Amino acid sequence: MFKTAYSKLSAEGDLSKDNLRSLFGNLEDQAFEDVYCLFDWDNDGSVDVHEFVLTMSLLATPATSFEAEQNLLFAIFDQDGSGTMDREEFGKMMRATLRCKMTHLDFCMKTEGRKATFRRHLEGEYSTETLEFYNHVEDYRNLVKSLEVDEYEDMREDCNDLVDVIYNRFIDEGANEQVNIQGRTRNEIKNIVERVNKNTQLYPFTIFDSAQQEIYQLMNRDTFERFKHNDALMDQMLTSLFDEVDVKKNGVITVAEYKTWATMNPELTNFLKDLHNETFMGVSKAAGLEKRKARRVSMQKQQKLSVSGQSSSGSAGGFSEADSSVRLSSGSVGSVSSVRE
């Protein structure tokens, strides 16, 4: 498959960088530049068939373990082969990871430092209320979860007060920092608040769950996508992340430091998974496998129609309904089932 793709991509001689680029249509230019170094081993500006086949075999085959994935990622971005990553190399890795379509806002919500950087982006869009609401609900939920049953009863008034603060600040109609949630969700929360206040009950600790989920989806779908391409704030984020990993504070990241950090941030493998998919789809298309698959599916459909037609004509030729039942129960049409499968 790889050799067929290579022969079609290289009109004559070695494979050019531009032709190789066509295999990775969904990768950003910088991410492709980082991956390209794996192909061009001798740095001569072209890729021969040996380099192509071995590198494609590596990228198109999913790694067998988390450690293997991290080894491959480290090798891709340790471009000088020093066994460590400096700030520039690490920055390229994290840009590829953060801009990968499978990386979500969760990554930016794990530490206060990351949240602070993301908040600065929200300040620029005048939409900090979304993150404030999300954080307040998290604090309320974590407080309730930390309490034993008897403690919860003792603190019921304090817990209710927290809910009232969140409701009045973010949910109530006309609230100063009203968040953008569905009207149905807002009304459901309003009805709970009114019922609890009327009957002096305890608020359910899930009262804001639906609203928080809506706000998360909104931030992840819109705000986080714009944040990914805010170069100034992205640089701040990358500096903060480098400081997290560089435990020894010597300006470089070792394999051991990186792997320790990676176990707490499994999102790092998203770029690699995306790269696997891109590689396999690209080389399959170049090798013409998609067309072969389409022809195979078409042939299978024709076979099914042919078998179905034969069955119908046999019935019309004088078989009774009872005869058909006997044939089915005796297993004589097993071959039909096999074809359909």
Side-chain angles (χ1 to χ4, degrees), residues 61-325:
T61 307
T64 56
S65 67
F66 183 77
E67 183 175 4
E69 288 179 327
Q70 301 314 318
N71 285 334
L72 178 54
L73 269 175
F74 201 94
I76 291 174
F77 292 98
D78 176 21
Q79 296 183 330
D80 59 3
S82 64
T84 61
M85 275 195 288
D86 58 24
R87 287 184 180 273
E88 182 179 357
E89 291 170 329
F90 179 77
K92 287 181 178 180
M93 171 190 279
M94 293 314 304
R95 283 183 188 277
T97 299
L98 286 169
R99 289 177 176 173
C100 171
K101 56 190 176 185
M102 290 190 289
T103 299
H104 301 302
L105 180 61
D106 287 355
F107 184 82
C108 290
M109 307 294 270
K110 284 188 174 183
T111 69
E112 292 304 317
R114 299 180 199 180
K115 280 185 182 180
T117 305
F118 182 62
R119 180 187 171 81
R120 284 192 282 275
H121 177 76
L122 292 171
E123 288 172 353
E125 295 192 345
Y126 303 99
S127 58
T128 55
E129 73 280 352
T130 55
L131 184 59
E132 288 294 322
F133 170 71
Y134 182 92
N135 288 338
H136 274 69
V137 175
E138 281 294 288
D139 291 341
Y140 166 71
R141 184 184 291 108
N142 290 334
L143 171 63
V144 172
K145 285 184 177 180
S146 69
L147 299 175
E148 299 293 340
V149 176
D150 55 342
E151 293 176 319
Y152 191 32
E153 287 297 326
D154 293 338
M155 293 188 63
R156 60 184 301 162
E157 290 186 8
D158 293 332
C159 291
N160 274 13
D161 289 342
L162 284 175
V163 172
D164 287 334
V165 168
I166 295 173
Y167 177 77
N168 292 328
R169 180 177 173 182
F170 300 106
I171 303 297
D172 194 17
E173 293 289 350
N176 291 333
E177 299 178 68
Q178 188 183 92
V179 291
N180 184 19
I181 57 177
Q182 295 182 28
R184 180 180 61 184
T185 304
R186 195 183 307 278
N187 287 333
E188 288 175 353
I189 297 174
K190 180 181 178 181
N191 291 337
I192 293 174
V193 170
E194 291 177 348
R195 184 172 66 251
V196 168
N197 288 336
K198 181 179 180 180
N199 301 318
T200 318
Q201 297 175 332
L202 188 65
Y203 284 118
F205 69 89
T206 58
I207 182 172
F208 296 119
D209 282 8
S210 295
Q212 188 192 38
Q213 183 63 25
E214 287 182 28
I215 290 301
Y216 174 84
Q217 294 295 342
L218 177 65
M219 290 193 293
N220 183 64
R221 182 181 64 249
D222 298 331
T223 318
F224 184 52
E225 284 302 312
R226 293 190 292 272
F227 170 75
K228 290 179 180 181
H229 296 88
N230 185 328
D231 290 333
L233 287 178
M234 183 64 73
D235 287 341
Q236 293 180 27
M237 175 70 79
L238 297 180
T239 298
S240 174
L241 293 174
F242 187 89
D243 292 338
E244 287 182 26
V245 191
D246 182 18
V247 178
K248 296 181 179 179
K249 306 303 178 187
N250 58 358
V252 293
I253 296 172
T254 65
V255 176
E257 287 176 324
Y258 170 72
K259 286 184 177 179
T260 299
W261 187 70
T263 57
M264 298 179 289
N265 295 276
E267 298 89 350
L268 297 174
T269 61
N270 287 341
F271 170 70
L272 196 55
K273 291 183 174 71
D274 203 27
L275 183 59
H276 286 318
N277 294 334
E278 281 287 307
T279 303
F280 190 79
M281 287 189 295
V283 79
S284 296
K285 184 176 181 180
L289 294 189
E290 291 183 341
K291 293 181 180 178
R292 294 184 206 173
K293 181 180 179 181
R295 287 198 299 269
R296 186 169 63 251
V297 170
S298 177
M299 290 177 61
Q300 289 174 343
K301 288 182 178 179
Q302 291 177 2
Q303 288 177 339
K304 291 178 183 178
L305 290 174
S306 176
V307 171
S308 176
Q310 292 175 4
S311 175
S312 298
S313 62
S315 177
F319 283 110
S320 66
E321 187 174 341
D323 291 331
S324 298
S325 299

